[in-house]
Amino acid sequence: MNVPRNVVWFEVLLYLSLTLDAVSVAFQDRTPTAKMTEQMINTGTLMAAGLILLLVYFVRLAAQGRKNWPRWVLAAALVLSVISLVQIIGEKGLQFDSGIEIISCALTAMGLYYSFTGDAVGWFNA
């Protein structure tokens, strides 16, 4: 069975976004401070890695498993990411890591757009 072109774009763009997120987590500052202990930093890193792996599974489930509900979970995750990003930019201003997050959100938004348009429309309802 041939995978529709828009579904391929959805999958590629979401995987690129999640790869960018993983690289961002890998290069985060992990210097312990009075507010952030080493254990808190390690827990946050492991939770971020677990969430990225879960989202990778949702992308695969949507694109290859032809499930509709993971797309909606990914869309909800995008909304929460954008809200968080707006709050971070409001507090700290535009920084390098927030720029990476903007690119990641844009890739996710484009991928989700492809999943809801064109030849992908009937793919997820099978």
Side-chain angles (χ1 to χ4, degrees):
M1 180 178 301
N2 291 336
V3 178
R5 189 179 55 108
N6 278 17
V7 174
V8 171
W9 275 111
F10 159 74
E11 198 171 11
V12 167
L13 290 170
L14 268 287
Y15 284 145
L16 281 174
S17 171
L18 291 170
T19 301
L20 195 56
D21 290 340
V23 169
S24 176
V25 168
F27 288 106
Q28 278 181 343
D29 182 22
R30 291 188 180 83
T31 308
T33 62
K35 290 182 179 180
M36 290 288 280
T37 65
E38 187 174 343
Q39 185 178 9
M40 292 169 64
I41 293 168
N42 290 339
T43 301
T45 302
L46 286 175
M47 287 177 63
L51 181 62
I52 289 170
L53 288 174
L54 181 66
L55 294 175
V56 165
Y57 174 68
F58 286 163
V59 171
R60 185 185 180 290
L61 197 60
Q64 302 300 320
R66 301 181 71 172
K67 302 290 183 195
N68 191 30
W69 65 267
R71 283 190 310 166
W72 292 103
V73 172
L74 292 165
L78 174 63
V79 169
L80 293 175
S81 293
V82 169
I83 291 170
S84 173
L85 183 60
V86 167
Q87 289 175 341
I88 290 171
I89 291 174
E91 286 177 15
K92 299 180 181 178
L94 191 60
Q95 297 177 340
F96 182 73
D97 57 341
S98 57
I100 291 173
E101 288 301 317
I102 290 171
I103 294 169
S104 176
C105 286
L107 288 170
T108 301
M110 289 186 319
L112 285 169
Y113 170 78
Y114 278 115
S115 77
F116 286 98
T117 60
D119 57 0
V121 171
W123 179 260
F124 299 101
N125 297 327

